[in-house]
């Protein structure tokens, strides 16, 4: 598989899960904190799972907007995608992630919503990156 990348984002992390992460263009600079559930202090700061959830939800909504015209549909302005990313030990060893997306498409029939979500799931870069490695749950709410 080859990708003709049109854009590159670069971030630098220091200190790992309890350090800082920043983009090289200076647009993002955040404190990283290990959640209490993973043995850390919790509190102020973010973690990689939160960043993944924010990115996946925004990207999936963008994918729906990109494919909607081809399906003769229009994504409503109040549409939302909520991504829930989990992390924990894998039975095979190491750690793994889970991903669940809840998609809200006000005014859509179940049939149109399903068609849009399934099509977006085939083109979304996050969906393609996780396919066959992470089970992604898709729920239309």
């Amino acid at each position: 598989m080859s990708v003709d990348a049109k854009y590159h984002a670069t971030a630098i992390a220091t200190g790992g899960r309890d350090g800082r992460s920043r983009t090289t263009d200076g647009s993002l600079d955040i404190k990283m904190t290990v959640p209490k559930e993973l043995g850390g202090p919790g509190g102020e700061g973010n973690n990689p799972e939160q960043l993944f959830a924010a990115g996946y939800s925004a990207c999936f909504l963008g994918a729906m907007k990109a494919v909607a015209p081809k399906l003769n549909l229009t994504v409503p302005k109040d549409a939302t995608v909520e991504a829930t990313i989990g992390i924990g030990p894998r039975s095979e060893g190491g750690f793994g992630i889970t991903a669940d997306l809840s998609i809200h498409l006000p005014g859509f029939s179940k049939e149109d919503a399903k068609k849009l979500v399934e099509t977006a799931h085939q083109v979304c870069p996050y969906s393609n990156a996780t396919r066959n490695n992470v089970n992604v749950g898709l729920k239309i709410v």
Side-chain angles (χ1 to χ4, degrees):
M1 173 192 71
S2 67
V3 175
D4 180 17
K6 303 295 184 191
Y7 170 76
H8 294 87
T10 304
I12 299 169
T14 56
R17 285 182 165 269
D18 56 354
R20 294 200 73 74
S21 191
R22 65 178 174 81
T23 57
T24 55
D25 68 3
S27 65
L28 180 69
D29 185 350
I30 57 172
K31 175 184 177 190
M32 304 298 283
T33 302
V34 179
K36 287 182 180 181
E37 296 84 351
L38 296 179
E44 287 188 34
N46 295 98
N47 60 65
E49 294 70 39
Q50 290 172 320
L51 300 176
F52 189 36
Y56 201 167
S57 59
C59 192
F60 197 86
L61 186 51
M64 289 194 306
K65 288 181 176 183
V67 301
K70 297 173 183 122
L71 302 172
N72 294 317
L73 298 170
T74 302
V75 175
K77 290 182 190 252
D78 55 349
T80 60
V81 175
E82 178 181 290
T84 301
I85 304 300
I87 182 172
R90 297 179 340 138
S91 58
E92 301 87 355
F95 284 80
I97 61 172
T98 62
D100 291 290
L101 302 180
S102 294
I103 300 105
H104 180 62
L105 292 161
F108 264 57
S109 69
K110 285 189 183 248
E111 180 180 297
D112 283 345
K114 183 178 179 186
K115 182 170 47 171
L116 178 62
V117 167
E118 288 176 354
T119 304
H121 191 48
Q122 295 306 308
V123 302
C124 174
Y126 278 72
S127 293
N128 286 331
T130 58
R131 189 166 285 112
N132 299 321
N133 189 38
V134 174
N135 288 332
V136 176
L138 300 172
K139 180 178 166 188
I140 300 167
V141 294

